[in-house]
Amino acid sequence: MSDELQRVVDSLAGRLGRAVAVDDTSFRLLAYSAQVGAIDAMRARVILTREAPPEGLAWLRRFRLGQASGPVRLPPDADLGLLSRVAIPVRHQGLRFGYLWLIDTDQTLSDEELAVATVAAGDAGEVLFRERVIDELRDARVGELVRDLLSPDAEGQQLAADGLIEGGFFASRGGVVAVVVQPLPLAGEEVHEGDRLALSAALHSTVSTLPPRECLSLVRPRHAVLILPQSTLARFPRVAHDLRTAVQDRLGAGGRWRAVVAGVGGATQRFADAGISCEQALVAIRVADVVPTFRPVAEYDALGIYGLLASQPLEQLDALKVLPAIDALLSPDPELLVTAELFLDRAGDSRVVAEQLGLHRASVYNRIRRIEQLTGFDLSDGEQRLVLHLGIKVARLLGRA
């Protein structure tokens, strides 16, 4: 609760000689005075948990307080153990920020006292309006700094890192990790403004579960970015999964997406290098797009050779001379490519390959000979095995296999 809002609440409580509380529009507690006079179980529970319980919310919604223009008297409810109370809308500049509450057990609040409380509710609205403006200005400034932090300009990155720390927006000068979540549209689909709003809402809900000053966030045209100290990610290891789930839930199952994927970059040594981790997270998403086994959360450090290959320009990978050999494997029987990849992944252990494919070892040997004939590679030669192995991974990455 802000000091200024607390002063409004305490001043009104002193003038009326009764307890005062202020909630936001979702009935989450923002400020409360010392408890003077009667108090019911609901008020005590709200003070302890900062929000109304489900049965209390259901009761409140019956009165349609969102449509109220002045004080509303709410009757007692014996079943819920609720005393009679008065709700006064907290508004300023035509915006509604919540409700000011007074328990009025014997309904002795006079019109003059309600008028005083209504003025106080207006003062509370002005305080909350100013705080919203300040928050919006702060968010805009942080957004500018985070964009500079993730830009390719090394000098701008360092200035942004210094600004975020010196402005009290971020609490770590050490290494950080970037988490990126991106919806992968089906062919012909695009990420629209409504999708970006869904990304923003999911990012906001995830950030609200993390400690203040230990995370930075940004919504880009196609994805959402979260930057955390490495120590924070260690304390909240599910944050990438939670953010991806939140994005998927808000985007809905409209059939417009191949998948919603999270990428986790490697840890940087310096805060100013957050952009490196962000690019690595995007590489991880790129790999997960074409290699589904890395979904739904792809960690750059777990990509293996894919991490190295995906960092290269696509046109350079597409020009590799080994790719025609991969095409030669696919044309007669796609199972030959599966066998070749598994054989190379398992360092030529034909027994493991036979077990995983459900084949007799003799059948594996026959397939290996066929692979050698079609590709022209001698799989008893370590260097040729390496070239073919890389070629298969590149083909997967390019979507050619």
Side-chain angles (χ1 to χ4, degrees):
M1 64 187 79
S2 72
D3 290 343
E4 196 170 359
L5 182 61
Q6 187 62 49
R7 282 195 292 271
V8 171
V9 167
D10 289 340
S11 174
L12 180 62
R15 292 185 67 180
L16 299 184
R18 64 181 69 219
V20 178
V22 174
D23 293 347
D24 66 12
T25 54
S26 297
F27 304 106
R28 289 186 294 261
L29 186 64
L30 298 178
Y32 63 93
S33 69
Q35 298 308 305
V36 179
I39 181 173
D40 56 24
M42 182 72 73
R43 171 63 61 84
R45 186 169 175 182
V46 168
I47 289 173
L48 288 173
T49 64
R50 312 295 297 183
E51 60 185 4
E55 64 273 17
L57 290 174
W59 180 76
L60 288 168
R61 291 189 181 110
R62 289 164 40 197
F63 299 96
R64 299 185 178 182
L65 294 176
Q67 300 176 15
S69 58
V72 178
R73 288 188 178 274
L74 280 64
D77 189 308
D79 293 336
L80 293 176
L82 293 169
L83 298 174
S84 175
R85 61 218 318 121
V86 173
I88 304 175
V90 174
R91 296 176 301 181
H92 187 73
Q93 297 286 343
L95 299 175
R96 185 183 298 269
F97 293 94
Y99 306 95
L100 184 147
W101 292 96
L102 301 165
I103 289 181
D104 188 21
T105 307
D106 49 6
Q107 299 188 0
T108 57
L109 272 169
S110 66
D111 291 343
E112 291 77 13
E113 289 174 319
L114 286 176
V116 169
T118 300
V119 171
D123 293 340
E126 185 177 353
V127 170
L128 293 172
F129 178 82
R130 288 201 304 270
E131 290 182 353
R132 177 177 290 185
V133 171
I134 291 170
D135 286 345
E136 289 176 351
L137 291 173
R138 174 192 178 280
D139 290 345
R141 176 56 177 157
V142 172
E144 290 175 1
L145 290 171
V146 174
R147 279 188 286 274
D148 290 343
L149 181 69
L150 300 180
S151 75
D153 178 12
E155 183 178 355
Q157 292 168 358
Q158 187 60 61
L159 288 173
D162 292 341
L164 286 163
I165 293 169
E166 291 166 7
F169 305 128
F170 198 66
S172 173
R173 289 185 178 273
V176 295
V177 175
V179 175
V180 177
V181 174
Q182 180 173 341
L184 305 175
L186 291 169
E189 295 286 348
E190 296 289 338
V191 178
H192 303 303
E193 181 60 26
D195 304 321
R196 285 187 281 274
L197 291 174
L199 286 173
S200 180
L203 199 55
H204 184 269
S205 68
T206 302
V207 166
S208 68
T209 67
L210 298 169
R213 301 175 64 230
E214 291 188 30
C215 62
L216 297 167
S217 60
L218 182 69
V219 175
R220 284 175 154 177
R222 296 179 180 274
H223 55 259
V225 182
L226 189 62
I227 299 170
L228 306 161
Q230 189 176 7
S231 58
T232 302
L233 184 60
R235 287 173 15 236
F236 298 88
R238 295 284 304 174
V239 68
H241 291 269
D242 294 342
L243 178 56
R244 191 207 71 86
T245 300
V247 169
Q248 182 168 267
D249 290 345
R250 282 167 173 77
L251 288 174
R256 297 175 50 221
W257 316 104
R258 301 192 305 280
V260 176
V261 181
V264 182
T268 68
Q269 292 187 344
R270 302 185 313 137
F271 176 32
D273 293 331
I276 296 174
S277 185
C278 186
E279 289 302 317
Q280 291 174 344
L282 289 169
V283 166
I285 290 174
R286 195 169 117 202
V287 172
D289 186 12
V290 293
V291 186
T293 54
F294 285 107
R295 300 177 193 170
V297 176
E299 296 185 11
Y300 180 82
D301 291 341
L303 295 179
I305 190 61
Y306 283 115
L308 175 62
L309 295 175
S311 300
Q312 308 305 311
L314 287 179
E315 60 274 13
Q316 183 174 319
L317 294 177
D318 200 29
L320 291 177
K321 294 181 179 180
V322 69
L323 291 178
I326 310 304
D327 294 336
L329 281 180
L330 283 169
S331 53
D333 183 1
E335 288 301 316
L336 290 175
L337 180 65
V338 174
T339 303
E341 185 173 22
L342 187 57
F343 181 78
L344 295 167
D345 285 346
R346 298 296 180 267
D349 190 330
S350 57
R351 180 185 62 80
V352 173
V353 174
E355 288 177 356
Q356 293 197 12
L357 294 180
L359 298 173
H360 191 278
R361 289 178 71 174
S363 298
V364 173
Y365 294 139
N366 288 334
R367 286 192 183 185
I368 296 301
R369 283 193 293 271
R370 181 68 172 144
I371 290 165
E372 290 177 326
Q373 291 168 0
L374 290 169
T375 62
F377 282 81
D378 179 2
L379 297 187
S380 66
D381 183 293
E383 186 170 336
Q384 292 191 41
R385 280 203 309 271
L386 177 59
V387 172
L388 183 61
H389 201 184
L390 289 175
I392 292 173
K393 300 304 183 185
V394 169
R396 296 282 191 209
L397 198 57
L398 295 174
R400 292 176 56 164

